Amino acid sequence: MPELSLELSRLPRHIGIIMDGNGRWAKKNKLKIAVGHRAGTEALRAIIRNASDIGIQALSLYAFSTENWSRPQGEVDALMGLLLDFFQSEIDELCRKNVRILILGEKNGLPPAQRQALTDAETRTAGNTGLWLNIAVNYGGRAELARAARSIAQAVADGQLEPNAVNEQTVEDRLYTAGLPPVDLLIRTSGEMRLSNFMLWQCAYAEFVFPTTLWPDFTLGDFHACIAEYQNRSRRYGSREEH
Ligand code: FPP
């Protein structure tokens, strides 16, 4: 592990990452887009390992949005292939590291092999107690909130819930991330400064860091620099006091 200048007692509990820039990295290096996504997956492995090692509670990664289906079929196929490869090649080590995998998004919309692999990974790691590794696949933040609203409407229609009793916790309990801490630090690489429908509810009080590095070039040093920047921020949650 590289030398850390991080305060390990003040780590963000939950880090979200929008891994942006694979396409531009491929173009810059005159490579095919699929090679960019493969290089992005390599960058990812080191970050996951380190997040687990330093004691981050939850790491949420935006792997494939509901809007990504509109990309050229070859690119969608490449991303789906990488997803499968990732779970097949990493699952043993993730288990050894006590990592719990949680899929954020609609698994039913995925091809059968991917659906099976993701479900198996969740089942196999369900009893683990280390890092929560949340992979957003076929995920949209608005769709997640609509899903929660549907579930609340159903509970009201079934007479299990009073409309006046609906509060923030009622919504929270119906998110994919129910029971996890909110996102403290949101990182988006490549210089883009948007949320792009990622964890809209969970990022309500997140600190945003936007490094210009393209995702395949993102190193552990960059990761720690983002955490160090987070640790320099003053978080007040609307009050005058720092938290
Ligand atoms: C954004 O780059 C990245 C994605 C749409 C996919 C991210 C996926 C991976 C890093 C690999 C697969 C994930 C797992 C969990 C195995 P972009 O293509 O939009 O980049 P650009 O904006 O430069 O074109």
Side-chain angles (χ1 to χ4, degrees):
M1 210 193 294
E3 236 0 80
L4 295 181
S5 54
L6 301 175
E7 282 183 58
L8 290 176
S9 60
R10 283 204 313 123
L11 288 173
R13 291 162 299 173
H14 189 164
I15 302 180
I17 309 186
I18 303 178
M19 307 175 287
D20 199 5
N22 295 347
R24 276 161 285 164
W25 182 91
K27 201 167 174 193
K28 192 179 95 184
N29 291 290
K30 300 192 171 44
L31 296 165
K32 293 210 168 88
I33 180 94
V35 182
H37 289 310
R38 181 165 290 282
T41 309
E42 292 311 315
L44 180 61
R45 292 181 212 273
I47 301 300
I48 294 173
R49 221 167 281 139
N50 187 251
S52 159
D53 288 345
I54 64 178
I56 301 292
Q57 282 182 40
L59 178 67
S60 293
L61 305 164
Y62 208 2
F64 195 90
S65 74
T66 43
E67 289 73 37
N68 287 152
W69 295 109
S70 63
R71 292 195 174 194
Q73 192 58 44
E75 185 177 353
V76 170
D77 291 346
L79 281 166
M80 289 294 138
L82 280 171
L83 210 55
L84 206 54
D85 283 358
F86 175 82
F87 280 100
Q88 282 162 355
S89 62
E90 295 296 302
I91 190 73
D92 287 340
E93 191 191 342
L94 293 173
C95 269
R96 268 197 304 279
K97 284 191 160 295
N98 200 19
V99 170
R100 270 174 288 200
I101 292 166
L102 182 67
I103 305 302
L104 317 181
E106 203 35 74
K107 288 200 283 291
N108 283 337
L110 295 171
Q114 280 73 9
R115 193 187 325 152
Q116 191 63 51
L118 301 188
T119 306
D120 288 350
E122 281 185 317
T123 309
R124 198 174 148 193
T125 60
N128 291 350
T129 54
L131 172 75
W132 281 101
L133 176 61
N134 307 324
I135 315 245
V137 186
N138 196 23
Y139 172 85
R142 289 177 177 175
E144 181 182 29
L145 290 171
R147 178 177 175 268
R150 263 195 314 278
S151 161
I152 292 171
Q154 190 63 57
V156 170
D158 293 345
Q160 294 161 353
L161 192 62
E162 281 295 319
N164 281 339
V166 175
N167 57 24
E168 291 186 14
Q169 193 61 46
T170 323
V171 177
E172 184 93 39
D173 291 344
R174 287 163 169 83
L175 301 179
Y176 294 115
T177 49
L180 294 185
V183 173
D184 288 320
L185 167 62
L186 187 279
I187 301 169
R188 182 173 188 151
T189 54
S190 88
E192 304 289 352
M193 299 182 194
R194 290 186 293 278
L195 207 41
S196 299
N197 206 13
F198 185 56
M199 302 186 87
L200 300 176
W201 177 282
Q202 296 89 338
C203 283
Y205 278 99
E207 294 295 329
F208 288 54
V209 178
F210 298 115
T212 53
T213 319
L214 301 176
W215 176 253
D217 291 330
F218 193 74
T219 62
L220 277 191
D222 295 320
F223 185 49
H224 292 169
C226 292
I227 297 176
E229 182 164 342
Y230 162 85
Q231 292 183 325
N232 279 330
R233 300 267 175 96
S234 143
R235 303 187 81 197
R236 291 183 300 279
Y237 297 91
S239 79
R240 299 237 171 262
E241 282 161 39
E242 274 197 38
H243 294 264

